[in-house]
Amino acid sequence: MRQRYSLSQIVDLESRFRTNFINSLTGFKSLALVGTVDAAQQTNLAVFSQIFHLGANPALIGMIVRPDVSPRHTLENIEQVGYYTLNHVTADFYQKAHQTAARYAKEVSEFEAVGLTPEWKADFAAPFVAESQVQIGLKLEEKHELLINGTILVIGSIQEVFVAQQYVGIDGFVDLEQAGSLTSSGLDSYHKTQKIARLSYAKPYQPLKEV
């Protein structure tokens, strides 16, 4: 039997319980390390799970940054330089990825602090994570503060992607499961995936097929 949680009950929940409860309700989320650098070439690395597809043409990715009530080095760097990277997390280094959420001082590079390797590509102004199997370079296009809760929507356009050809199907589908990309739920739970099936394009009154 399902337990009902009314709005008033949710509001009255203990703070940490409520945070975990609400954060995990929406299901599994995209997971990536965001690599940035400031104008003085100080690198920064931070794990994010509020990342989502916004469109394929132009190719856009959205990311939510929490309210700017304390120093947000990732956002500051993106605003300064205008470029950043998304790097998929695998089981080989998910604990190091999680550790980047710690509040290191501005002058400390999370790459060095957690033991991950910054990888610089020719003509791109932000560092990638060398250990990542799927790397995406983005350019800042828009930034919007959401008045309802003070979070910040960052919209980036894809400038380049690095992924082994073996993970890219003949129809362009990127097999993230084969690449070892992890997903997350809540604030601290990491998961592997298991594909059930890919299905054909849905049309009225047409039977679906596995593709």
Side-chain angles (χ1 to χ4, degrees), residues 49-122:
S49 60
Q50 304 294 346
I51 300 169
F52 47 92
H53 165 86
L54 271 180
N57 187 24
L60 301 174
I61 294 178
M63 179 173 74
I64 295 293
V65 180
R66 288 180 294 177
D68 196 14
V69 294
S70 61
R72 299 296 180 202
H73 303 149
T74 295
L75 181 59
E76 293 171 4
N77 292 352
I78 292 173
E79 291 177 315
Q80 281 186 27
V81 176
Y83 292 88
Y84 57 106
T85 69
L86 296 180
N87 306 270
H88 286 206
V89 177
T90 68
D92 295 331
F93 61 93
Y94 76 97
Q95 291 183 336
K96 294 179 179 180
H98 184 78
Q99 183 60 28
T100 65
R103 293 187 178 182
Y104 291 100
K106 172 70 173 175
E107 61 272 15
V108 174
S109 171
E110 286 81 1
F111 281 100
E112 182 177 348
V114 307
L116 290 171
T117 310
E119 182 178 4
W120 296 92
K121 314 279 192 183

